[in-house]
Amino acid sequence: MSTNILGRAVEILLVEDNPGDIRLTREALKEGKVSNNLYIAKDGVEGLEFLRREGEHANAIRPDLVLLDLNLPRMDGRELLEIIKADDDLKRIPVVILTTSKSEEDVLETYNLHANCYITKPVDLDQFLKVVKTIEDFWMTIVKLPSNSERPV
Amino acid sequence: MKLVTKLTLIFLLLTIVPLAVVGFLAYDNGRRTIEENVFNHLSSINIHKEDEFELWIETNQRSLRELSRRPLVRDYTAFMSSENVSNQDEEYQTLYAKLIEEHFGPTLEEEGGFLDLSILRAVDGMIIISTDTALEGKYRESASFFLEGKQASYVDEINYSITEGELVLHISTPILDDSGELIAVLAGHADLAEMSDIMTKRSELNDSEDSYLVNKFNFFVTEPRFGHDFALKKATHTEGVDACLLGDDGEGIYLDYRGEVVLGAYHWLPDHDLCLLTEVDQTDAFQPIHKLRNTIAVIAFISGVVVTALSVFYARSITRPVDRLIAGVDEIGSGNLEHRIHIEVSDELGLLAESFNQMTVNLAESQQENIQLVAELKAGSVELERRVEERTKDLKAAQLATLSMMEDAEKSRQIAEAVSEELRAAQIATMNMMMDVEDARTQAELNEVRFRSLFEESPIALLEEDFSAVRQRLTDLTRNGTVDLKTYFAGDNQAIRECSQLIKVISINQASVKLFKAHNQKQLLEKFGDIFVDQSLEILGRELLTFWNGEMNFEEEFIHQTMAGEQIWTIVKVSIAPGYENSWEKVFVSIVDISEQKKIREAVLREKDFSDRIINSIPGVFYMFDDEGKFLRWNKNFSQVLEYSDEEIAQMHPIDLFEGEGKAIIAERIQQVFVSGQSDAEAEFVSKSGVATPYYFTGFRMDTEEKPILIGTGIDITERQRWENQLSEKADELARSNEELERFAYVASHDLQEPLRMVASYLQLLERRYADHLDQDAREFIAFAVDGATRMKRLINDLLEYSRVGTRGQEFDSTNLNLVLGRVHVNLQAALEESGALISKPEMPTVLADESQLVQLFQNLLANAIKFSKEGDIPRITVSVQDLGHEWQFAVKDNGIGFDQQYAERIFVIFQRLHSKEEYAGTGIGLAVSKRIVERHGGDIWAESEPGEGATFYFTMPKDAAAQ
């Protein structure tokens, strides 16, 4: 695997409750060209704990990218998005909405909540793999992110 | 009272009253002046006495002070009051004697204001030296004259001393040494006899003048003039004392301590807490004015006597000619119209006599005019009769023409009433005329012949009867013990019939003969009893009772029988002629036939009964009211629904039957009925007990001669409103459930996608990873499974789209269909190019619609037309539009494979297909979505086709936005 713009493995937090999708994402990232570490949170609450290093996730690593599903138990993706984007410490972390919904409403609402991009999960496997790779490629090798988004010591 | 007496009294009054008034005013005025003078005098005495009193006290005080300041007195006192000196000491004795003899003794004698003088030791208040040796050695350490006297010169209050057993006034002053140190107190016992002398010194003005002092406990301090040994033994509570003790100065008339009325002035002496009063007896004070009163009375009496004599004389001279005038008038009054009064004086009385003479001449002339009047009365009654006939004719005509109509029935009744009224008027006029004539005859000796002819020719049936035998019978009956004639008649028509037979008919006029259809007067006279039938006998009984009870007139409706045997309705008026009140010998009877009117009235009543039945049989409410809102008629339902009595409704206004906004609606609609002829309204009737019931009212205006009337009916719409409410509830429910269903479909299809994706993705992953380990079958199975999942995914998306037509539609906006078709063309670009399809379309209108849905609609229809083309043919598609007035009708016609018309409806049902998936791809959602879109816009969609002949899809779109 080639190095990315950061010169180290990319830290990715996936907030997703469906094990099938988790696995698929993991598979897709495996095939990617960027070295990465994938962390999983099963719902919004856990996602927030991870980001804030609370509870079990006291030693969590600050992710470079958040992949966020919308329909989640306990705290759904919209709420988590809103909290992240309202938090001065977290708001610069790019959040990619990755969901089954094609609903215009969802698209509009999440962009209003400052989502960084919105992607509908394709049914076709090849399509799905391609999408994940594209995300990785775009955010990790093309985009210039602020330096303070680097993981703290 | 005779004129002479009257005049005398008047003169007397005229003289005595002013005299009395002037006398009274003089007396009253004098009394006031004296009262004022007396008060002034008393007040000045008070001031004078106060001055003297103060002077007396001051003199005493001064002499005491002077004594205390003598150096020798001071020295002696200083020695004698020192503690280490005994009173047995020789020097002490010497000084004591000197003090008494050289100082105290001379002071008592020269000044004379004190009874005794003492020196009190400053240390303990012991009296060390006194002119009254009995006091020496006594202690006065707590007496106020000692305590105050240590400070400065002091005058004590006058009080009763228990130790001394009398009234005392102490005056004291300090004795100081050269350095101003207190040695002792010098006290003097003032001689109150002197004070009493001041008070009892009197002015010479009145015998009863009396001055005295009263202390704050209401006790006399000095002896009053009319009391003995009162001082500090008797209390007094007169008005003057009480007012004075409140600290006031003033004067008044009140009862003094003896109970005598006095004029008194009181004055408060604040320094001594004493009240000074000076009084004088009222009788004494007012003595001069009483003298004046007596003088006036004597003068009044003398003038009275003189005036009486003068007025009697003068009155006589006036009344003499008046007496003669009276005698003359009496003469004329007794019928001698030839008599003339002679009075030679030319004053007002002379003129009066002249006027009487003239009046006598006029009287003779007016007698002639009286006879003329009777003739005019007769002419008047003929005229009345003519008018009655005319109105009766009107009545008949009206009855015949319009009897069947309710409105005219009312008119007929009114005319009938009017005719009856006029008939009655004629009858009364005739009757009055007969009475007047009878009256005139007795008084002015009217020619009997003229009276007869009047009677005979009257158009009203008249009878002259003699009831004296009847009266005799009634008298006998009461005398025989049948005390109560009313009860007697009530049960026995025979008794009345017997009475009726006692009526003697004296004369009957021609009109009566005609009325009773007799051949002539003779027949009627002979068979007079026949005119009474049983029913009329009862009325006759009442008539006789009326007369028996002292009434002279009776009138009532009768039923009579004519000589021809038929019954007629009449109004009978019977009057006992003046002058025959006791004998009943002359009685006039007038009879008017009202049978005709009675019949009409009954017909009208029947008519009214008929219309009443009709309006009461109406299921709703019926009402009529005039333009002022006064109810004229209403049916039973009306009063039942509203719970008001008929009397209450008659007093109410229609607006009163509503509440709140109902009032405004009804007021406006009533107005509308009167203006434009008709209207209707829905409002809640509010009953007396407050029950509100919804009603639907319709009202029409009916114009009568007098005023417009509103005729209305109303029906209870409670039930209808209930249905309407239920219907609207159901509609709301349906809309809600539809919405929920759409929402459900949306959510369900959305959530179904997730597992589908799993199935498809992992199958593909399986194939990808393990392709080498799978055989051909496995790969094929996987392909089917993936295909199934993919198709299901598409179905779900279609379902989602279908449900979105209802839930995710946009607001309608003005939409240019040319632009819509342009967009469709772009969207279908690939298919059009591939198929080479040709589309013709006209200039399209602009409609009010959801633009994106119309794009979808046209796109579905055009895509279908391309898809179902015949193999090998170029698809030719024609879009057309037709203006149907209220809506547009669009058509999309193709030259494709068509379908059997029997499936024309089925193709619009969701997921219904006419072909296999292998032949034509698709889920069968396109037309179902199209149908929903058209329906959402308020239009219809349908298709016409034959297999192999192409198909035409039509849909409409209303122009009116409201219809959507």
Side-chain angles (χ1 to χ4, degrees), chain B residues 450-487:
Chain B
R450 275 195 88 75
F451 172 74
R452 272 300 139 209
S453 87
L454 248 176
F455 179 84
E456 198 56 45
E457 288 161 21
S458 167
I460 304 287
L462 288 173
L463 297 95
E464 188 180 342
E465 295 172 354
D466 179 356
F467 274 46
S468 58
V470 180
R471 188 187 160 80
Q472 188 56 48
R473 161 65 64 94
L474 297 182
T475 313
D476 290 347
L477 282 172
T478 46
R479 199 176 296 150
N480 290 347
T482 315
V483 186
D484 188 6
L485 280 177
K486 194 175 172 186
T487 332

Side-chain angles (χ1 to χ4, degrees), chain B residues 70 105-113:
Chain B
R70 290 180 192 174
T107 303
L108 285 184
E109 273 170 33
E110 284 159 27
E111 306 290 337

Side-chain angles (χ1 to χ4, degrees), chain B residues 32 48 77 123 307 343 346 437 530 536 667 671 712 797 961:
Chain B
R32 273 174 213 273
H48 176 67
T77 309
V123 193
V307 167
I343 289 181
S346 59
V437 167
D530 290 357
S536 45
Q671 174 78 5
N797 275 338

Side-chain angles (χ1 to χ4, degrees), chain B residues 27 34 283 286-298:
Chain B
Y27 169 73
I34 286 175
T283 45
F286 289 155
Q287 210 170 8
I289 201 71
H290 291 158
K291 275 182 195 155
L292 175 68
R293 186 183 61 191
N294 297 342
T295 314
I296 292 171
V298 169

Side-chain angles (χ1 to χ4, degrees), chain A residues 20-21 27 100 124-126, chain B residues 754 757 762 764 768-769:
Chain A
D21 271 323
E27 292 300 326
T100 331
D124 188 80
L125 179 68
D126 287 336
Chain B
E754 188 88 0
R757 218 164 35 77
Y762 279 94
Q764 285 176 313
R768 201 182 160 98
R769 289 268 173 93

Side-chain angles (χ1 to χ4, degrees), chain B residues 913-931:
Chain B
R913 303 162 51 92
L914 296 183
H915 307 279
S916 72
K917 286 190 284 283
E918 283 72 28
E919 285 175 295
Y920 295 99
T923 55
I925 192 78
L927 287 175
V929 169
S930 300
K931 187 172 196 290

Side-chain angles (χ1 to χ4, degrees), chain B residues 45-111:
Chain B
I45 289 175
N46 275 352
I47 291 166
H48 176 67
K49 299 258 178 202
E50 184 192 8
D51 288 347
E52 278 191 71
F53 179 67
E54 293 291 351
L55 186 67
W56 174 72
I57 291 200
E58 214 174 289
T59 309
N60 286 346
Q61 241 182 320
R62 199 170 48 235
S63 64
L64 201 66
R65 238 183 351 250
E66 187 266 324
L67 192 63
S68 74
R69 285 175 189 161
R70 290 180 192 174
L72 285 176
V73 172
R74 279 157 55 176
D75 293 347
Y76 296 166
T77 309
F79 174 78
M80 290 169 76
S81 59
S82 64
E83 281 170 32
N84 43 11
V85 176
S86 158
N87 56 2
Q88 303 304 321
D89 198 293
E90 197 180 327
E91 194 179 356
Y92 182 96
Q93 295 289 347
T94 315
L95 291 184
Y96 176 91
K98 272 189 178 174
L99 200 59
I100 297 290
E101 281 164 25
E102 290 169 19
H103 300 282
F104 287 11
T107 303
L108 285 184
E109 273 170 33
E110 284 159 27
E111 306 290 337

